[in-house]
Amino acid sequence: MDFQTIKDTVAATGMIVRGGFHPGADEIKGQTLVLVGNAGPKMWQAFSDAVPADSRDQDPHPLDTWTKRVLEGVAADLGAGALYPFGGPPYQPFQSWAVRAGGVHPSPTGPLIDAEFGLWHAYRGALVFDTHIDLPEPPSHASPCESCADKPCLDACPTDAFDPKGSERADYDVKACVAHIADPAGRDCFTGGCLARRACPWGRDYVYGTEQATFHMKKFVANHLPPSSS
Ligand code: B12
Ligand code: SF4
Ligand code: SF4
């Protein structure tokens, strides 16, 4: 198995390979871990074609269900195992794995930043191979956040959900965020995606479209809004 074959097989699904690394023997069973993610419109298009909008309310996590079905097929074709970022707790440490695979950096509001995709990318799974596969060198650019003096991502949230507290990573007020998105006042976040993420000048070409942003926000609210007491 070579890296290019893995890339091509994953690309045929609408998802993309996000690098990989060779885990230690005491971490996971396998010699090579390859991360799979999404950026740009292709994954959303493939998901939309497979799972029509009017059937998405029947499943609390339709994108995860689709991902698992597709990546299980890819893993079987490539003779690999598959791990997923969802389904916890406990969760697999995908962000730590991504930093290890290289090319991305922590950002002050939480999501990892990529020099091309900005904050508009996510991880869908990991393929684990029990053989050693040669991996290309990841891009070695500095974090875009280092040279971003104003850090507009930290000031753009209408509910001040991010409290930098002078640390490298802001505290995130999940309750305030979810309450705002669920309210008509939060329509901009609901249909256009997180304003803090959108304030970042990097990766503007990859900002999720309205349908994808609304899908993520609707599911985020449905899965995190406390049940009404009335
Ligand atoms: C639980 C969870 C949440 C929770 C809690 C998040 C929180 N901030 O506490 C909720 C539901 C609120 C949430 C919300 C969102 N999430 Co979330 N979430 C997860 C999930 C499922 C598990 C995280 C976890 O507990 N991992 C376990 C620990 C042990 O793993 P870890 O990788 O080692 O985690 C370390 C890193 O996160 C690291 N780290 C991360 N950032 C930074 C920054 C600095 C400076 C430092 C030093 C360290 C650091 O610290 C952790 C502890 O070691 C992950 C998927 C996954 N499996 O990782 C997605 C994930 C982190 N979420 C993701 C996203 C996109 C979001 C949202 C933006 C979604 C949205 N609504 O638009 C929001 C915003 C979150 C935010 N601002 O932090 C993406 C991030 C993608 C990316 N580009 O990095 C992930 C990876 C899911 C995915 N499918 O890609 N999330
Ligand atoms: S706005 Fe600046 S600090 Fe915030 S994520 Fe983007 S580059 Fe990093
Ligand atoms: S989605 Fe809206 S309310 Fe939530 S953190 Fe982003 S900007 Fe703030």
Side-chain angles (χ1 to χ4, degrees):
M1 182 61 53
D2 63 285
F3 188 70
Q4 192 59 46
T5 305
I6 301 168
K7 264 180 96 169
D8 293 344
T9 309
V10 169
T13 68
M15 291 182 266
I16 48 175
V17 161
R18 301 303 316 278
F21 62 94
H22 300 113
D26 54 344
E27 292 180 82
I28 49 170
K29 216 169 150 281
Q31 288 200 41
T32 309
L33 184 147
V34 174
L35 286 166
V36 176
N38 65 277
K42 285 191 180 158
M43 182 209 68
W44 180 254
Q45 194 55 58
F47 167 72
S48 299
D49 291 346
V51 185
D54 59 7
S55 68
R56 289 177 204 153
D57 286 345
Q58 295 151 19
D59 180 347
H61 305 288
L63 183 57
D64 295 348
T65 306
W66 173 82
T67 301
K68 209 167 172 190
R69 178 157 50 80
V70 172
L71 280 187
E72 250 145 45
V74 169
D77 287 350
L78 296 173
L83 297 171
Y84 300 96
F86 44 82
Y91 294 105
Q92 301 285 358
F94 266 78
Q95 286 190 302
S96 298
W97 287 350
V99 169
R100 210 156 146 198
V104 293
H105 301 271
S107 81
T109 61
L112 299 171
I113 190 160
D114 177 280
E116 182 180 1
F117 308 134
L119 303 173
W120 301 96
H121 63 104
Y123 299 92
R124 304 301 320 156
L127 297 167
V128 184
F129 298 84
D130 57 17
T131 52
H132 183 102
I133 297 165
D134 288 336
L135 300 169
E137 278 298 312
S140 61
H141 54 76
S143 169
C145 303
E146 273 176 32
S147 53
C148 179
D150 295 342
K151 303 207 175 343
C153 58
L154 288 173
D155 294 325
C157 172
T159 61
D160 291 328
F162 298 106
D163 177 2
K165 287 217 175 95
S167 69
E168 219 183 321
R169 189 184 186 185
D171 283 343
Y172 169 46
D173 187 340
V174 185
K175 270 192 187 165
C177 169
V178 173
H180 181 70
I181 307 170
D183 190 86
R187 192 145 186 85
D188 203 2
C189 296
F190 190 81
T191 58
C194 175
L195 287 166
R197 264 170 122 183
R198 274 154 66 192
C200 177
W202 292 77
R204 289 242 156 103
D205 290 346
Y206 294 90
V207 175
Y208 295 165
T210 305
E211 201 197 335
Q212 184 175 3
T214 308
F215 167 83
H216 286 302
M217 288 307 192
K218 199 173 162 190
K219 291 293 177 191
F220 185 53
V221 170
N223 293 321
H224 295 281
L225 194 67
S228 162
S229 54
S230 59

